[in-house]
Amino acid sequence: GREGASALDDDILRWLRKLSKPTLLVVNKSDGIDLQAALAEFARYGFGDALPVSSAHRTGIDTLMAKVLVQLPEQ
């Protein structure tokens, strides 16, 4: 989040799209920044909602885990 979207992010997204698997956009390091501006930059990737998290402060991790668990098969 602090660095914004990068060329590496673009490359990773192209690779992920080829897999045709469910994908979540997670924006780390989202603490202490203008969250709306940071998420707006990632909107160009075409995901519905980006999930802002801060792994260091454990912010947004519970929401992320809930979204991941919904997408996993029951087995």
Side-chain angles (χ1 to χ4, degrees), residues 13-68:
L13 183 57
R14 274 192 293 279
W15 177 77
L16 287 171
R17 285 194 168 137
K18 289 178 185 176
L19 297 177
S20 298
K21 301 285 184 180
T23 306
L24 297 171
L25 176 59
V26 180
V27 179
N28 193 24
K29 299 184 188 253
S30 63
D31 55 313
I33 62 172
D34 181 349
L35 193 54
Q36 292 302 99
L39 295 179
E41 182 174 346
F42 290 93
R44 68 186 175 114
Y45 291 130
F47 286 83
D49 290 323
L51 299 170
V53 301
S54 171
S55 57
H57 295 102
R58 197 163 161 68
T59 305
I61 301 299
D62 293 336
T63 302
L64 171 61
M65 291 305 298
K67 295 217 179 233
V68 167

